Short mmCIF file of all heavy atoms in Angstrom, two decimals:
data_model
loop_
_atom_site.label_atom_id
_atom_site.label_comp_id
_atom_site.label_asym_id
_atom_site.label_seq_id
_atom_site.Cartn_x
_atom_site.Cartn_y
_atom_site.Cartn_z
N ARG N 11 32.65 -87.35 -39.34
CA ARG N 11 32.93 -86.63 -38.11
C ARG N 11 34.05 -87.40 -37.42
O ARG N 11 34.54 -88.40 -37.92
CB ARG N 11 31.69 -86.53 -37.21
CG ARG N 11 30.57 -85.70 -37.80
CD ARG N 11 31.00 -84.23 -37.92
NE ARG N 11 29.94 -83.37 -38.36
CZ ARG N 11 29.83 -82.92 -39.60
NH1 ARG N 11 30.70 -83.26 -40.51
NH2 ARG N 11 28.84 -82.12 -39.94
N ARG N 12 34.42 -86.95 -36.25
CA ARG N 12 35.54 -87.56 -35.55
C ARG N 12 35.37 -89.08 -35.41
O ARG N 12 36.30 -89.83 -35.68
CB ARG N 12 35.68 -86.93 -34.18
CG ARG N 12 36.89 -87.36 -33.42
CD ARG N 12 37.06 -86.60 -32.13
NE ARG N 12 37.05 -85.18 -32.43
CZ ARG N 12 36.59 -84.25 -31.63
NH1 ARG N 12 36.10 -84.56 -30.47
NH2 ARG N 12 36.61 -82.97 -31.97
N ASP N 13 34.21 -89.55 -35.02
CA ASP N 13 34.01 -90.97 -34.76
C ASP N 13 33.03 -91.66 -35.69
O ASP N 13 32.76 -92.84 -35.52
CB ASP N 13 33.52 -91.17 -33.32
CG ASP N 13 34.55 -90.72 -32.29
OD1 ASP N 13 35.75 -90.83 -32.57
OD2 ASP N 13 34.15 -90.26 -31.20
N PHE N 14 32.44 -90.93 -36.65
CA PHE N 14 31.38 -91.50 -37.46
C PHE N 14 31.54 -91.13 -38.93
O PHE N 14 32.11 -90.10 -39.25
CB PHE N 14 30.00 -90.99 -37.00
CG PHE N 14 29.71 -91.29 -35.56
CD1 PHE N 14 29.87 -90.32 -34.59
CD2 PHE N 14 29.29 -92.55 -35.18
CE1 PHE N 14 29.61 -90.60 -33.26
CE2 PHE N 14 29.02 -92.84 -33.85
CZ PHE N 14 29.19 -91.86 -32.89
N VAL N 15 30.97 -91.96 -39.78
CA VAL N 15 30.85 -91.67 -41.21
C VAL N 15 29.36 -91.72 -41.55
O VAL N 15 28.65 -92.65 -41.14
CB VAL N 15 31.62 -92.70 -42.07
CG1 VAL N 15 31.37 -92.46 -43.56
CG2 VAL N 15 33.10 -92.65 -41.76
N PHE N 16 28.87 -90.71 -42.27
CA PHE N 16 27.47 -90.63 -42.64
C PHE N 16 27.35 -90.77 -44.16
O PHE N 16 28.13 -90.16 -44.89
CB PHE N 16 26.87 -89.29 -42.22
CG PHE N 16 26.87 -89.08 -40.73
CD1 PHE N 16 27.98 -88.54 -40.10
CD2 PHE N 16 25.77 -89.43 -39.98
CE1 PHE N 16 27.99 -88.34 -38.72
CE2 PHE N 16 25.77 -89.24 -38.61
CZ PHE N 16 26.89 -88.70 -37.97
N ILE N 17 26.36 -91.53 -44.61
CA ILE N 17 26.08 -91.68 -46.03
C ILE N 17 24.61 -91.40 -46.26
O ILE N 17 23.74 -91.95 -45.58
CB ILE N 17 26.44 -93.09 -46.54
CG1 ILE N 17 27.93 -93.35 -46.33
CG2 ILE N 17 26.05 -93.25 -48.00
CD1 ILE N 17 28.37 -94.74 -46.71
N GLU N 18 24.34 -90.52 -47.21
CA GLU N 18 22.95 -90.17 -47.55
C GLU N 18 22.69 -90.63 -48.99
O GLU N 18 23.37 -90.21 -49.91
CB GLU N 18 22.77 -88.66 -47.44
CG GLU N 18 21.38 -88.20 -47.78
CD GLU N 18 21.23 -86.69 -47.68
OE1 GLU N 18 22.20 -86.00 -47.34
OE2 GLU N 18 20.12 -86.22 -47.96
N PHE N 19 21.69 -91.50 -49.14
CA PHE N 19 21.31 -91.97 -50.47
C PHE N 19 20.22 -91.05 -51.00
O PHE N 19 19.21 -90.83 -50.35
CB PHE N 19 20.83 -93.42 -50.40
CG PHE N 19 21.94 -94.36 -50.00
CD1 PHE N 19 22.10 -94.75 -48.68
CD2 PHE N 19 22.84 -94.82 -50.94
CE1 PHE N 19 23.13 -95.59 -48.31
CE2 PHE N 19 23.88 -95.67 -50.58
CZ PHE N 19 24.03 -96.06 -49.25
N LEU N 20 20.41 -90.54 -52.21
CA LEU N 20 19.52 -89.53 -52.78
C LEU N 20 18.54 -90.18 -53.76
O LEU N 20 18.81 -90.28 -54.96
CB LEU N 20 20.35 -88.45 -53.47
CG LEU N 20 21.47 -87.85 -52.62
CD1 LEU N 20 22.34 -86.93 -53.44
CD2 LEU N 20 20.89 -87.12 -51.43
N VAL N 21 17.40 -90.59 -53.24
CA VAL N 21 16.38 -91.23 -54.06
C VAL N 21 15.05 -90.55 -53.77
O VAL N 21 14.59 -90.55 -52.63
CB VAL N 21 16.28 -92.74 -53.75
CG1 VAL N 21 15.21 -93.39 -54.62
CG2 VAL N 21 17.63 -93.43 -53.95
N GLU N 22 14.45 -89.97 -54.80
CA GLU N 22 13.16 -89.29 -54.62
C GLU N 22 12.04 -90.31 -54.46
O GLU N 22 12.06 -91.37 -55.08
CB GLU N 22 12.86 -88.40 -55.83
CG GLU N 22 13.70 -87.15 -55.86
CD GLU N 22 13.25 -86.19 -56.95
OE1 GLU N 22 12.02 -86.01 -57.10
OE2 GLU N 22 14.12 -85.65 -57.62
N ASP N 23 11.08 -89.96 -53.64
CA ASP N 23 9.90 -90.80 -53.42
C ASP N 23 10.27 -92.24 -53.12
O ASP N 23 9.67 -93.18 -53.65
CB ASP N 23 8.97 -90.74 -54.64
CG ASP N 23 8.47 -89.35 -54.92
OD1 ASP N 23 8.23 -88.61 -53.95
OD2 ASP N 23 8.32 -88.99 -56.10
N SER N 24 11.27 -92.43 -52.27
CA SER N 24 11.71 -93.79 -51.98
C SER N 24 10.70 -94.52 -51.10
O SER N 24 10.02 -93.93 -50.27
CB SER N 24 13.08 -93.77 -51.30
OG SER N 24 13.04 -93.04 -50.10
N LYS N 25 10.61 -95.80 -51.32
CA LYS N 25 9.74 -96.66 -50.52
C LYS N 25 10.38 -98.04 -50.46
O LYS N 25 11.29 -98.35 -51.23
CB LYS N 25 8.33 -96.71 -51.09
CG LYS N 25 8.25 -97.15 -52.53
CD LYS N 25 6.86 -96.96 -53.08
CE LYS N 25 6.91 -97.19 -54.59
NZ LYS N 25 5.74 -96.71 -55.26
N ASP N 26 9.89 -98.84 -49.55
CA ASP N 26 10.45 -100.18 -49.33
C ASP N 26 11.98 -100.10 -49.14
O ASP N 26 12.73 -100.87 -49.72
CB ASP N 26 10.08 -101.11 -50.50
CG ASP N 26 10.29 -102.57 -50.15
OD1 ASP N 26 10.25 -102.90 -48.95
OD2 ASP N 26 10.54 -103.37 -51.07
N VAL N 27 12.40 -99.15 -48.31
CA VAL N 27 13.83 -98.94 -48.06
C VAL N 27 14.35 -100.03 -47.13
O VAL N 27 13.73 -100.34 -46.11
CB VAL N 27 14.07 -97.55 -47.41
CG1 VAL N 27 15.52 -97.37 -47.05
CG2 VAL N 27 13.59 -96.45 -48.35
N LYS N 28 15.49 -100.60 -47.50
CA LYS N 28 16.13 -101.63 -46.69
C LYS N 28 17.61 -101.30 -46.54
O LYS N 28 18.28 -100.94 -47.51
CB LYS N 28 15.98 -103.00 -47.34
CG LYS N 28 14.56 -103.48 -47.41
CD LYS N 28 14.44 -104.80 -48.10
CE LYS N 28 12.95 -105.13 -48.22
NZ LYS N 28 12.69 -106.13 -49.22
N VAL N 29 18.08 -101.39 -45.30
CA VAL N 29 19.51 -101.20 -45.01
C VAL N 29 19.95 -102.41 -44.21
O VAL N 29 19.33 -102.75 -43.20
CB VAL N 29 19.76 -99.90 -44.22
CG1 VAL N 29 21.23 -99.74 -43.91
CG2 VAL N 29 19.25 -98.69 -44.98
N ASN N 30 21.01 -103.06 -44.68
CA ASN N 30 21.49 -104.26 -44.02
C ASN N 30 22.96 -104.07 -43.65
O ASN N 30 23.80 -103.85 -44.53
CB ASN N 30 21.32 -105.47 -44.95
CG ASN N 30 21.75 -106.76 -44.27
OD1 ASN N 30 21.63 -106.91 -43.06
ND2 ASN N 30 22.27 -107.68 -45.06
N PHE N 31 23.27 -104.16 -42.35
CA PHE N 31 24.65 -104.04 -41.88
C PHE N 31 25.22 -105.42 -41.62
O PHE N 31 24.58 -106.25 -40.98
CB PHE N 31 24.70 -103.22 -40.59
CG PHE N 31 24.39 -101.77 -40.79
CD1 PHE N 31 23.10 -101.29 -40.61
CD2 PHE N 31 25.39 -100.89 -41.14
CE1 PHE N 31 22.82 -99.95 -40.78
CE2 PHE N 31 25.11 -99.54 -41.32
CZ PHE N 31 23.83 -99.08 -41.14
N GLU N 32 26.43 -105.63 -42.09
CA GLU N 32 27.18 -106.83 -41.77
C GLU N 32 28.49 -106.39 -41.14
O GLU N 32 28.71 -105.19 -40.95
CB GLU N 32 27.41 -107.65 -43.04
CG GLU N 32 26.11 -108.18 -43.64
CD GLU N 32 26.32 -108.97 -44.91
OE1 GLU N 32 27.48 -109.38 -45.18
OE2 GLU N 32 25.34 -109.18 -45.64
N LYS N 33 29.37 -107.34 -40.82
CA LYS N 33 30.61 -106.99 -40.13
C LYS N 33 31.49 -106.03 -40.92
O LYS N 33 32.03 -105.08 -40.38
CB LYS N 33 31.41 -108.26 -39.81
CG LYS N 33 30.81 -109.08 -38.72
CD LYS N 33 31.26 -108.58 -37.39
CE LYS N 33 30.76 -109.49 -36.30
NZ LYS N 33 30.86 -108.91 -35.02
N SER N 34 31.65 -106.27 -42.22
CA SER N 34 32.59 -105.44 -42.99
C SER N 34 31.96 -104.82 -44.25
O SER N 34 32.66 -104.39 -45.15
CB SER N 34 33.82 -106.26 -43.38
OG SER N 34 33.43 -107.36 -44.16
N LYS N 35 30.64 -104.79 -44.30
CA LYS N 35 29.97 -104.12 -45.42
C LYS N 35 28.54 -103.81 -45.04
O LYS N 35 28.02 -104.29 -44.04
CB LYS N 35 30.01 -104.97 -46.69
CG LYS N 35 29.19 -106.23 -46.64
CD LYS N 35 29.27 -106.98 -47.96
CE LYS N 35 28.49 -108.27 -47.89
NZ LYS N 35 28.54 -109.00 -49.16
N PHE N 36 27.91 -102.97 -45.84
CA PHE N 36 26.48 -102.76 -45.67
C PHE N 36 25.84 -102.56 -47.03
O PHE N 36 26.49 -102.21 -48.00
CB PHE N 36 26.16 -101.62 -44.70
CG PHE N 36 26.34 -100.24 -45.24
CD1 PHE N 36 25.28 -99.57 -45.83
CD2 PHE N 36 27.56 -99.60 -45.15
CE1 PHE N 36 25.44 -98.28 -46.32
CE2 PHE N 36 27.73 -98.32 -45.64
CZ PHE N 36 26.67 -97.66 -46.22
N ALA N 37 24.54 -102.81 -47.08
CA ALA N 37 23.80 -102.73 -48.33
C ALA N 37 22.59 -101.83 -48.14
O ALA N 37 21.99 -101.78 -47.07
CB ALA N 37 23.36 -104.12 -48.77
N PHE N 38 22.25 -101.12 -49.21
CA PHE N 38 21.08 -100.24 -49.24
C PHE N 38 20.28 -100.60 -50.48
O PHE N 38 20.83 -100.82 -51.56
CB PHE N 38 21.54 -98.78 -49.33
CG PHE N 38 20.45 -97.83 -49.73
CD1 PHE N 38 19.57 -97.33 -48.78
CD2 PHE N 38 20.28 -97.43 -51.05
CE1 PHE N 38 18.55 -96.46 -49.14
CE2 PHE N 38 19.27 -96.56 -51.42
CZ PHE N 38 18.41 -96.07 -50.46
N SER N 39 18.95 -100.65 -50.34
CA SER N 39 18.09 -100.85 -51.51
C SER N 39 16.75 -100.18 -51.26
O SER N 39 16.34 -99.98 -50.12
CB SER N 39 17.90 -102.34 -51.80
OG SER N 39 17.20 -102.94 -50.76
N CYS N 40 16.08 -99.81 -52.37
CA CYS N 40 14.76 -99.20 -52.27
C CYS N 40 14.11 -99.18 -53.65
O CYS N 40 14.75 -99.45 -54.66
CB CYS N 40 14.84 -97.79 -51.71
SG CYS N 40 15.54 -96.57 -52.82
N LEU N 41 12.83 -98.83 -53.64
CA LEU N 41 12.09 -98.59 -54.87
C LEU N 41 11.82 -97.10 -54.94
O LEU N 41 11.69 -96.42 -53.92
CB LEU N 41 10.77 -99.36 -54.87
CG LEU N 41 10.87 -100.88 -54.78
CD1 LEU N 41 9.47 -101.49 -54.67
CD2 LEU N 41 11.60 -101.42 -55.99
N SER N 42 11.70 -96.57 -56.17
CA SER N 42 11.51 -95.13 -56.31
C SER N 42 10.44 -94.80 -57.34
O SER N 42 10.33 -95.46 -58.37
CB SER N 42 12.82 -94.48 -56.75
OG SER N 42 12.64 -93.12 -57.05
N GLY N 43 9.69 -93.72 -57.02
CA GLY N 43 8.74 -93.17 -58.00
C GLY N 43 7.57 -94.07 -58.29
O GLY N 43 7.39 -95.14 -57.72
#
Side-chain angles (χ1 to χ4, degrees):
R11 294 294 185 258
R12 187 174 306 148
D13 296 329
F14 302 100
V15 174
F16 297 87
I17 299 176
E18 180 181 0
F19 295 96
L20 309 172
V21 180
E22 286 188 43
D23 299 324
S24 59
K25 56 189 170 195
D26 196 25
V27 176
K28 294 178 185 162
V29 179
N30 183 31
F31 290 94
E32 295 179 16
K33 288 275 185 195
S34 60
K35 68 178 178 179
F36 76 92
F38 165 83
S39 65
C40 72
L41 299 175
S42 173

